[in-house]
């Protein structure tokens, strides 16, 4: 073991498949390497940021290590190997930050510490002004849906299946709005784009869960309209309170069970392509595109969710309305036909504003590789804002019972304050009497 002859420097480079003239020097690369402070601030350095010559130096280093391994197996000369590697590799590796190697080894690179959200491409300078209408829309969505929940809860005449389903829809819209509120306002109002990786997965879970729940509730509302128009005599028999509660629980359970695997499957992937998302919130296809490992399982499962939940729901909604239309056309009087269709108008509008942006957004992410980034952002924001903002407005303006109940609720509250009537059972009766005196039509639901 001690009688072997150490290879010369030239022999080492022959073993590696390199000549001494081809030895790579890292001179001039320092200006492209982040400082230690920058690496400390932003976590492990992204390997995709390395230039071609950087990879060449790493390849040279790897070749030398492999040659050393082969020599060690042949002769056992570990002292010479260590001396050679220390002498010839130190120069090549001095300029590479230590954090690169911790990045390759540490799981923080497999799961990047932070991702970067995106506002509206090309309008970064005016994002602070765009935040104003966004804040107004969030305010409308939250106040409008809270009002619907309060009115349905406080008005006994609205404790019917149609309005109970509407309250479920309002609660789901509030959940969807609250899921995206922090990141959207942070990007547009504060220009703060970073989001922690696991926070991103959590937000993604809630966005997709509430979307799945909303799809299920829209299907339940379509079934409600189907029973009310096609089998009105069985309406109270079919849609009993326990069944309505069961349908709501089923919507929640289905959403949670279907969406839980999405963040779990993403956590097993390595992320090395980029850290920039396409939207101001975390959306599953958008996050998945950043992965550099095989995403076949994620793609198949994501597509299965779309087809088995949203696709199936949409199909049954269409079937329900085909049967409703067939029944309506069988009504003799034209007034009866219009009255029957009018009860479905709000729901049809809600279905359209929910499924159309969702379908277009899904198609863009699956097949729209060359579409404009502005189209991505537009459809993403339409999907995000249309339903929560417009649902309370549509149902308040279109549904007479909701509109009347909202008026009565606010007028009663106004009378309690203005006429200094206490909020007690006797005070409530006094407020009702005063309301009857001032606006009797509201108590009659006119």
């Amino acid at each position: 073991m001690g009688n072997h002859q150490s290879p010369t420097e030239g022999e080492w480079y022959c073993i590696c498949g390199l000549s001494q003239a081809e030895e790579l020097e890292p001179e001039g690369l320092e200006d492209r390497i982040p400082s230690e402070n920058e690496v400390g601030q932003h976590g492990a350095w992204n390997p995709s940021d390395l230039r071609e010559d950087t990879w060449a130096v790493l390849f040279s280093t790897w070749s030398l290590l492999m040659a050393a391994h082969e020599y060690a197996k042949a002769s056992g000369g570990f002292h010479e190997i260590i001396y050679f590697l220390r002498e010839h590799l130190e120069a090549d590796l001095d300029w590479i930050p230590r954090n690169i190697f911790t990045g390759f080894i540490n799981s923080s690179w497999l799961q990047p510490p932070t991702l970067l959200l995106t506002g509206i491409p090309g309008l970064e300078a005016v994002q602070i002004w765009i935040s104003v209408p966004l804040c107004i829309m969030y305010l409308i969505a939250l106040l409008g849906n809270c009002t619907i929940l309060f009115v349905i809860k406080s008005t006994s005449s609205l404790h019917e299946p149609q309005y109970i389903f509407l309250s479920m829809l309002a609660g789901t819209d509030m959940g969807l709005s609250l899921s995206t509120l922090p990141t959207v306002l942070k990007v547009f109002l504060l220009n703060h784009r970073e989001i922690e990786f696991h926070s991103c997965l959590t937000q993604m879970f809630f966005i997709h869960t509430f979307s799945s729940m909303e799809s299920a509730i829209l299907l339940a509302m379509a079934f409600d309209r189907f029973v009310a128009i096609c089998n009105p005599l069985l309406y109270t028999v079919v849609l009993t309170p326990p069944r309505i509660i069961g349908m709501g629980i089923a919507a929640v359970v289905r959403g949670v069970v279907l969406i839980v695997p999405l963040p779990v499957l993403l956590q097993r992937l390595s992320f090395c392509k980029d850290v920039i998302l396409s939207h101001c919130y975390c959306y599953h296809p958008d996050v998945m595109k950043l992965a550099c490992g095989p995403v076949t399982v994620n793609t198949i499962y994501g597509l299965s969710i779309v087809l088995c939940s949203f696709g199936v729901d949409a199909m049954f909604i269409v079937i329900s309305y085909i049967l409703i239309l067939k029944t309506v056309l069988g009504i003799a009087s034209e007034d009866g036909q219009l009255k029957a269709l009018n009860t479905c108008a709000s729901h049809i509008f809600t279905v359209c504003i929910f499924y159309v942006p969702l379908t277009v957004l899904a198609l863009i992410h699956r097949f729209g590789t060359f579409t404009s980034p502005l189209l991505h952002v537009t459809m993403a924001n339409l999907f995000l804002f249309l339903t929560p903002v417009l649902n309370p407005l549509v149902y308040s303006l279109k549904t007479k019972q909701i509109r009347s109940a909202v008026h009565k609720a606010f007028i009663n509250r106004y009378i309690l304050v203005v006429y200094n009537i206490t909020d007690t059972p006797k005070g409530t009766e006094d407020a009702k009497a005063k309301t009857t005196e001032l606006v009797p039509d509201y108590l009659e639901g006119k």
Side-chain angles (χ1 to χ4, degrees):
M1 180 174 178
N3 298 327
H4 68 275
Q5 185 176 0
S6 301
T8 65
E9 182 178 342
E11 290 172 341
W12 273 110
Y13 280 101
C14 289
I15 293 172
C16 298
L18 299 171
S19 67
Q20 285 177 291
E22 295 174 330
E23 182 177 359
L24 296 170
E25 296 292 341
E27 296 175 6
L29 296 177
E30 289 82 357
D31 57 334
R32 284 174 283 175
I33 305 302
S35 66
E36 291 186 6
N37 290 334
E38 290 173 338
V39 172
Q41 291 173 2
H42 301 289
W45 188 24
N46 186 342
S48 65
D49 292 337
L50 296 173
R51 309 295 187 192
E52 292 182 4
D53 44 7
T54 308
W55 284 113
V57 173
L58 290 177
F59 177 74
S60 172
T61 303
W62 178 255
S63 300
L64 290 171
L65 290 173
M66 290 299 98
H69 178 66
E70 293 298 324
Y71 180 77
K73 289 199 300 185
S75 62
F78 291 101
H79 295 289
E80 288 81 2
I81 294 171
I82 293 171
Y83 176 78
F84 179 85
L85 292 178
R86 181 176 179 181
E87 181 180 356
H88 291 85
L89 295 185
E90 249 181 0
D92 285 348
L93 298 180
D94 270 347
W95 58 271
I96 303 177
R98 184 182 301 273
N99 294 71
I100 292 179
F101 296 99
T102 61
F104 281 123
I105 298 170
N106 198 322
S107 63
S108 67
W109 173 241
L110 298 179
Q111 296 175 2
T114 58
L115 299 175
L116 294 180
L117 302 167
T118 301
I120 300 179
L123 298 178
E124 290 81 0
V126 294
Q127 282 188 166
I128 185 66
W129 301 107
I130 298 175
S131 67
V132 175
L134 290 179
C135 290
I136 294 173
M137 284 191 285
Y138 270 117
L139 194 62
I140 292 173
L142 295 176
L143 289 180
N145 287 294
C146 280
T147 301
I148 286 181
L149 288 172
F150 170 75
V151 166
I152 292 175
K153 180 181 181 298
S154 59
T155 308
S156 57
S157 61
L158 297 181
H159 294 173
E160 297 178 3
Q162 177 182 1
Y163 303 110
I164 294 174
F165 286 130
L166 177 58
S167 66
M168 293 181 185
L169 184 67
T172 305
D173 284 336
M174 284 186 60
L176 186 60
S177 297
L178 291 173
S179 298
T180 57
L181 176 65
T183 55
V184 172
L185 294 187
K186 191 167 66 171
V187 170
F188 286 95
L189 193 61
L190 305 176
N191 196 27
H192 186 69
R193 299 173 55 197
E194 291 187 354
I195 181 171
E196 199 268 330
F197 180 74
H198 291 94
S199 299
C200 181
L201 296 185
T202 303
Q203 184 189 51
M204 182 194 73
F205 167 77
F206 281 109
I207 289 174
H208 288 281
T209 299
F210 282 118
S211 299
S212 176
M213 288 169 55
E214 183 147 351
S215 178
I217 292 170
L218 289 175
L219 175 59
M221 295 174 77
F223 179 70
D224 169 81
R225 292 298 84 206
F226 166 74
V227 176
I229 294 175
C230 299
N231 298 287
L233 298 179
L234 298 176
Y235 186 70
T236 55
V237 177
V238 174
L239 291 173
T240 59
R243 285 180 181 171
I244 294 171
I245 294 172
M247 293 166 77
I249 294 174
V252 175
V253 171
R254 188 193 75 164
V256 172
V257 169
L258 287 178
I259 304 303
V260 159
L262 290 182
V264 174
L265 290 173
L266 283 174
Q267 282 187 317
R268 71 182 182 87
L269 297 175
S270 301
F271 291 82
C272 60
K273 288 184 179 178
D274 206 344
V275 293
I276 302 176
L277 299 170
S278 303
H279 310 306
C280 50
Y281 56 89
C282 295
Y283 189 61
H284 176 255
D286 197 22
V287 178
M288 186 176 63
K289 286 182 179 180
L290 304 182
C292 58
V295 294
T296 306
V297 175
N298 302 68
T299 303
I300 292 175
Y301 186 74
L303 187 59
S304 301
I305 290 178
V306 172
L307 295 177
C308 296
S309 59
F310 299 101
V312 171
D313 293 345
M315 181 183 69
F316 279 111
I317 290 173
V318 171
I319 292 173
S320 298
Y321 274 104
I322 290 174
L323 297 174
I324 288 172
L325 184 60
K326 182 180 177 182
T327 302
V328 169
L329 293 176
I331 299 175
S333 66
E334 186 176 342
D335 289 341
Q337 292 179 350
L338 292 175
K339 185 177 180 181
L341 290 175
N342 189 51
T343 62
C344 303
S346 300
H347 181 255
I348 293 173
F349 182 78
T350 300
V351 168
C352 290
I353 63 176
F354 176 77
Y355 280 104
V356 171
L358 177 65
T359 304
V360 174
L361 185 61
L363 291 175
I364 286 175
H365 275 286
R366 299 291 174 186
F367 309 109
T369 309
F370 303 104
T371 55
S372 167
L374 188 59
L375 180 61
H376 282 241
V377 174
T378 302
M379 297 313 302
N381 289 333
L382 285 177
F383 164 68
L384 183 67
F385 291 111
L386 269 185
T387 307
V389 171
L390 294 182
N391 274 350
L393 298 178
V394 169
Y395 278 97
S396 298
L397 295 174
K398 188 65 180 174
T399 309
K400 182 180 67 175
Q401 291 84 349
I402 294 288
R403 186 171 64 251
S404 174
V406 170
H407 287 163
K408 286 190 292 185
F410 281 101
I411 288 172
N412 282 335
R413 182 60 55 183
Y414 172 79
I415 289 173
L416 284 172
V417 174
V418 171
Y419 291 91
N420 198 24
I421 300 175
T422 58
D423 194 4
T424 61
K426 184 179 184 307
T428 303
E429 291 299 322
D430 293 342
K432 288 182 178 179
K434 197 68 178 176
T435 306
T436 306
E437 176 186 341
L438 296 176
V439 277
D441 287 346
Y442 290 141
L443 291 181
E444 297 172 10
K446 295 181 181 179

